Amino acid sequence: LTPTVEAVAAERVADVAANDASVTIDAQALRAEVGDDDIFLQLCQLFLQDAGSLALELAEALAAGDMERLYRAAHRIKGSVSVFHAPRAVARFGKLESAARAGDMGIIEMEYQASRRVLDSLVNQIEVAQGAKAA
Amino acid sequence: MSAVLKQEQKFGNAALKVLIVDDDPPTRLMLGTLASQLGYRTVYAKNGETAISVFAAEQPDIVLMDMYLPGMQGDEAMTELRALSGERWVPIIFVTIAGEVGRHVATLVRGADDYLVKPVDQDVLGAKLEVARRTIALQRQVEEKTRELRRYRDDAENEMRMAKEVIDRLVHADRVADPMASHWILPAANFSGDLVAVARTPTGVLHVMLADGTGHGLSAALSVLPITPSFYAMTAKGLPIELIASTLNRTIREQLPVGRFVATTLVSVNSVQREVKVWNGGNPPLLALAADGTIQRKISSRHLALGIAPPESFDSEFDSFRFEAPCQLFLYSDGVPEGYEAAGETSGQAAVEALLLGVPANTRMKLLRSRLSARHLEQRPHDDVTVVLVDCSGGATVTATKADSRRPSAGTLT
């Protein structure tokens, strides 16, 4: 049984890694949607301002084993990243939400790690987009 | 031209104000930006508690609210906002994440007007806000119509109050007071189409009139108006009821529109001669009751209601009888037996006749009021209900006379 579980887990980790790599924002679509550089930059700024505290909230909730708090933080980030035309990121935090609701720590740990990587990636991409527009 | 101005021109009124409730700052800014671009004014709240205070202060027209808020949840906040808005309908649109179908349904079930899916598409947002705007416009039309109806109702009530006061004065409602006669009227509408008039001739003969105009309400009340002055004037001159009946018939034909009639019973009680005269045109029978409530005499209508017969063929002949023992005359309008029939009685007339059996004379009016009121506690009567009791004091026997030569049934009563 153990080899089977390990095989499934390895497959899932590979799947998560593959998804992480393809998480991107669509800055151009967002800029076109809001029609204004200032608002685009404000959106980036607001996200970046909160990203650190939201990452911390995720970590603390996980450490405390507080599934409701973890769910709320994941939900909040999911809503926030949906603004940036990043459907895969939305899906990623949706999985973390579901894992928090299910309460399976094995899955939660894995989803948490994946979500953190996605969050870091988003922060990087939004910083780049912000810098490009500001320049 | 600004988007707000465009919207004002499009809608013909001030741009609608949208309250955006979301704990996520980028989402708030995004929704606000899209709504502003569509010409809506925006105000913001970051949670349910703040939404309530902003709602109270800003009186927004539409609410866009995240379902899942920290602290007070979206549906709890919605309940509070609904209570705050009172009669003013404010559409509440919940904003949720795509794929949360169960949540979308739940928001609608809990009373939301619609939902939006994040990431919010501006065209969809515009369409949903437009639907909300149409709902608001419709709601405001309904509110305006309701206000108009309320004004109309208030005006109508004021006019009716005044009309009632005038009618009461015209029919001398305050003059219907004689120690020998008592009456009670339960109107089917604001106005009674039944009228009771009581007066004495210069020689002390008591005249009582029970008139029931066609239908009920104001038109019926107006129908009985013209006959009152004549009744009082002719009684004051000591003229007999047969002449009064004939005059009233002519008055109604002259003054009321075609098709308006008045069922009328005229009674004359001469205490000195111990004689009762009755002219009954279209009303239920007059009952003469003995002390124990048994019916000594029943005088049914033998004439058409006033206003039907042409003057040249009007029949003014009356019934009469003498009384020597005390008796009581019981007059009532057709609303009394009809009320019993409406309640399932086979014969309303029989029910009325059984009503006072065994009831002493001095408690009959109290009993009538109590029983007839109880019948109509839950709903007003279909027709005006009127009862009149007239005391006839006299000797040991009641003797009938034959003033009406065509009435062979007249005889001595004991």
Side-chain angles (χ1 to χ4, degrees), chain B residues 47-49 52 67-78 80:
Chain B
N47 55 42
E49 289 83 354
I52 291 164
M67 181 71 182
Y68 201 84
L69 292 166
M72 179 185 277
Q73 292 286 288
D75 52 353
E76 292 173 73
M78 175 172 67
E80 297 288 329

Side-chain angles (χ1 to χ4, degrees), chain B residues 57-205:
Chain B
E58 296 283 346
Q59 297 286 299
D61 301 290
I62 302 169
V63 176
L64 290 179
M65 182 154 60
D66 187 14
M67 181 71 182
Y68 201 84
L69 292 166
M72 179 185 277
Q73 292 286 288
D75 52 353
E76 292 173 73
M78 175 172 67
T79 305
E80 297 288 329
L81 298 183
R82 290 271 189 246
L84 263 180
S85 60
E87 288 185 7
R88 191 174 74 99
W89 185 254
V90 177
I92 296 177
I93 301 172
F94 274 110
V95 184
T96 59
I97 297 283
E100 298 177 329
V101 177
R103 216 173 245 186
H104 303 163
V105 173
T107 59
L108 296 175
V109 168
R110 287 172 191 167
D113 293 274
D114 205 342
Y115 66 85
L116 266 170
V117 175
K118 292 180 190 174
V120 174
D121 178 90
Q122 192 172 32
D123 289 340
V124 176
L125 174 66
K128 301 240 175 187
L129 289 176
E130 172 61 15
V131 170
R133 189 198 64 76
R134 284 203 299 268
T135 305
I136 292 166
L138 196 62
Q139 173 68 14
R140 288 186 183 164
Q141 274 181 12
V142 170
E143 284 169 8
E144 181 53 34
K145 294 288 177 201
T146 304
R147 273 195 295 275
E148 271 180 33
L149 282 173
R150 203 170 285 147
R151 275 197 299 273
Y152 178 78
R153 187 201 60 195
D154 291 347
D155 288 349
E157 279 181 358
N158 283 336
E159 286 174 1
M160 280 205 285
R161 258 195 299 277
M162 183 170 175
K164 188 170 186 329
E165 199 176 319
V166 171
I167 288 173
D168 282 351
R169 286 184 187 186
L170 287 173
V171 300
H172 303 290
D174 55 329
R175 279 174 52 180
V176 186
D178 191 285
M180 306 303 283
S182 57
H183 76 284
W184 178 65
I185 298 177
L186 180 62
N190 288 321
F191 295 93
S192 171
D194 288 358
L195 168 78
V196 175
V198 179
R200 286 193 183 257
T201 65
T203 56
V205 175

